[in-house]
Amino acid sequence: MCITSTARRRSLTLQLMPSHFLSSTAEAAEAPPSSNDSACIQQPIAQHKPDLIIHHDYHDHANDATIDASTIKRPAKGGVVTPFPVKLHLMLSSVEKDGFDDIIGWQPHGRAFIVRDIKRFTSEIMPEYFKQTKIASFQRQLNLYGFQRITAGRDKGAYYHEYFLKGEKFLSFCYDMKRRRVKGTRIRLPTNPDEEPNFYLLPPVTETHLSRLASCSPNSIDDLTFTFGKPFHYMNSAAALPSLSTLPQLVVAA
């Protein structure tokens, strides 16, 4: 058994002062990293941000085959008997018959609708047809079913869907509009007016389109400009129209 005196044990005790830790840390910081250390350092990975923007890809379904909507029988999903697009289509037809299309209604071409008076729409129309009074809830339903908003031109503020067309015969299309699962990213994508469709270049869905154009404001001259120039792009209304002599002659088949 080894017996060490008290004085001997005290002489073997190491006293560490705070300065020892500071000096060792400073030396480690000043020392250049070795080749092995650099290999262990994780370099930041450059992430490519996708080009996020609203895209418009409209297809004309006005000439597609239709069926009688009353013959469609589908089971309710989630307690919903009438899908939102069907309810919206029936509401637009009803308010037009009742003379309330100054609140919400179809555009003259029958391919988009617009809310013309939000205050009256939320207080008079929504409680009766949708059992709610918040415009944000209505807009959320539009987004879930793939409706897109137009941000420029005569249809500014209107909503459209390629399967949502005016007329009772197109009501069956609304049953084919699927509800999407949209995850909230809280990121509002920038608009893309250059890709927004110009419905005045397409044949009208309803027969009343031509009669309504006759009573339109002088701004309708812009639509003639689009016909002979740049579709899906709204030109300056001050631009001069081509003369009648330079317009192409239309040949009507017998």
Side-chain angles (χ1 to χ4, degrees):
M1 182 176 186
C2 180
I3 301 175
T4 308
S5 63
T6 304
R8 179 63 176 170
R9 290 197 301 271
R10 288 177 179 175
S11 63
L12 295 177
T13 303
L14 297 178
Q15 295 184 359
L16 299 178
M17 303 300 292
S19 60
H20 295 158
F21 296 100
L22 295 176
S23 60
S24 60
T25 305
E27 292 175 358
E30 294 176 357
S34 62
S35 59
N36 296 332
D37 295 337
S38 60
C40 300
I41 299 177
Q42 184 177 4
Q43 300 295 334
I45 301 176
Q47 297 181 355
H48 175 69
K49 295 183 178 180
D51 185 16
L52 298 178
I53 195 172
I54 296 178
H55 291 285
H56 300 262
D57 186 17
Y58 186 83
H59 300 84
D60 186 14
H61 296 280
N63 296 322
D64 292 0
T66 60
I67 61 175
D68 188 359
S70 61
T71 61
I72 300 177
K73 296 182 180 180
R74 296 184 179 180
K77 295 183 180 180
V80 178
V81 179
T82 306
F84 173 79
V86 178
K87 190 181 300 184
L88 176 62
H89 198 282
L90 294 174
M91 181 270 294
L92 290 171
S93 300
S94 179
V95 296
E96 186 178 33
K97 293 178 181 178
D98 296 338
F100 293 106
D101 52 350
D102 59 328
I103 301 177
I104 182 175
W106 292 97
Q107 290 293 82
H109 42 69
R111 299 176 185 271
F113 75 93
I114 187 171
V115 179
R116 299 184 175 97
D117 192 331
I118 296 181
K119 185 176 180 180
R120 293 184 61 190
F121 175 66
T122 55
S123 61
E124 301 178 20
I125 304 298
M126 288 188 62
E128 180 178 354
Y129 293 94
F130 302 101
K131 309 303 179 184
Q132 58 182 343
T133 58
K134 295 182 179 180
I135 189 65
S137 300
F138 178 75
Q139 293 172 338
R140 182 174 181 272
Q141 289 294 324
L142 294 175
N143 293 331
L144 290 176
Y145 280 93
F147 284 86
Q148 291 185 283
R149 187 172 182 268
I150 299 178
T151 61
R154 292 178 57 194
D155 288 333
K156 182 178 180 179
Y159 291 90
Y160 77 91
H161 191 288
E162 61 183 31
Y163 285 108
F164 197 75
L165 305 173
K166 182 179 181 180
E168 184 179 355
K169 68 176 183 178
F170 296 114
L171 180 60
S172 60
F173 288 176
C174 298
Y175 287 92
D176 295 328
M177 297 171 60
K178 306 300 182 182
R179 191 175 188 269
R180 307 180 302 178
R181 290 185 178 181
V182 180
K183 296 182 179 180
T185 59
R186 296 186 178 182
I187 299 177
R188 188 172 184 178
L189 299 180
T191 59
N192 189 7
D194 292 336
E195 284 190 5
E196 293 176 356
N198 180 6
F199 295 120
Y200 297 93
L201 291 177
L202 300 176
V205 176
T206 60
E207 295 296 334
T208 58
H209 175 68
L210 296 178
S211 61
R212 289 189 179 184
L213 283 181
S215 59
C216 287
S217 63
N219 291 333
S220 60
I221 195 172
D222 293 350
D223 299 323
L224 298 177
T225 307
F226 306 148
T227 305
F228 305 103
K230 304 176 181 179
F232 309 108
H233 178 72
Y234 289 86
M235 299 176 63
N236 185 2
S237 59
L241 289 175
S243 61
L244 294 178
S245 58
T246 60
L247 296 182
Q249 299 295 326
L250 299 179
V251 178
V252 181

